[in-house]
Amino acid sequence: MKEIVIINGPNLNRLGKREPEIYGSETLDDLEKQLRDHANGREIELDFFQSNSEGEIIDRIAEASDQGVSGMIINPGAFTHTSIALYDALAGAGLPCVEVHLSNIYRRESFRQKSFTAAACDGVISGLGFYGYIAAFDYLLSGSARRSR
Ligand code: DQA
């Protein structure tokens, strides 16, 4: 069975409470439910992982690589703009991967407009809210995912 790993980074466990004017009022559980509903009926396992710790996210990416999962969707949160270690983990994983941001990082503060991690992903979806995760999921299953093992 195909498996997609969905990784959410720091502070995304606070969705619904955190700056709702930017990130909306829905929670991480709501996101998981929407993706599971979307995947329903297709033979795909979804594995959700959230951590506020850079090291734990790096370990989960390496684990996904060792498991040989079909693809990853990652919202690295603020680590997007800071973490070369996360770039290395994604580049080394050799898995199809889509970076997702709920907000449009190019419309926000200048420090958010640089993504270190994007270059290790197939592509980036930014500013489409939860729909970005759905679009990333559809891409990973479309057969057009570029970075195959
Ligand atoms: C975010 C954008 C980041 O700049 C920010 O640090 C986040 C969330 C987004 O989903 O829009 O934590 O990744």
Side-chain angles (χ1 to χ4, degrees):
M1 194 192 292
K2 287 194 170 180
E3 182 177 347
I4 305 281
V5 178
I6 299 107
I7 298 175
N8 282 290
N11 300 308
L12 290 160
N13 57 323
R14 303 276 303 157
L15 279 183
K17 294 181 179 147
R18 166 195 188 204
E19 298 181 279
E21 65 288 358
I22 296 174
Y23 299 113
S25 55
E26 292 180 294
T27 65
L28 203 56
D29 284 348
D30 294 330
L31 171 66
E32 178 167 344
K33 186 175 179 316
Q34 285 181 32
L35 267 173
R36 288 199 185 284
D37 285 351
H38 184 70
N40 195 20
R42 305 189 236 186
E43 295 272 295
I44 293 149
E45 196 177 318
L46 293 183
D47 187 323
F48 287 83
F49 177 80
Q50 190 277 329
S51 176
N52 295 322
S53 148
E54 190 175 11
E56 284 180 10
I57 295 170
I58 289 167
D59 289 346
R60 185 65 189 94
I61 292 167
E63 192 181 56
S65 176
D66 290 347
Q67 290 168 335
V69 305
S70 310
M72 283 185 294
I73 300 170
I74 184 164
N75 182 345
F79 293 146
T80 306
H81 320 297
T82 61
S83 181
I84 294 166
L86 210 46
Y87 166 86
D88 284 345
L90 290 166
L95 291 172
C97 178
V98 181
E99 177 171 315
V100 171
H101 299 284
L102 295 161
S103 64
N104 181 347
I105 58 174
Y106 301 103
R107 251 197 204 163
R108 300 184 62 194
E109 302 95 326
S110 57
F111 62 82
R112 293 186 203 278
Q113 292 173 21
K114 165 77 187 166
S115 169
F116 283 105
T117 42
C121 297
D122 290 30
V124 180
I125 301 170
S126 182
L128 304 186
F130 283 3
Y131 180 72
Y133 291 76
I134 304 245
F137 172 90
D138 286 347
Y139 163 76
L140 289 171
L141 293 183
S142 69
S144 31
R146 280 200 303 270
R147 303 186 65 248
S148 54
R149 292 168 63 83

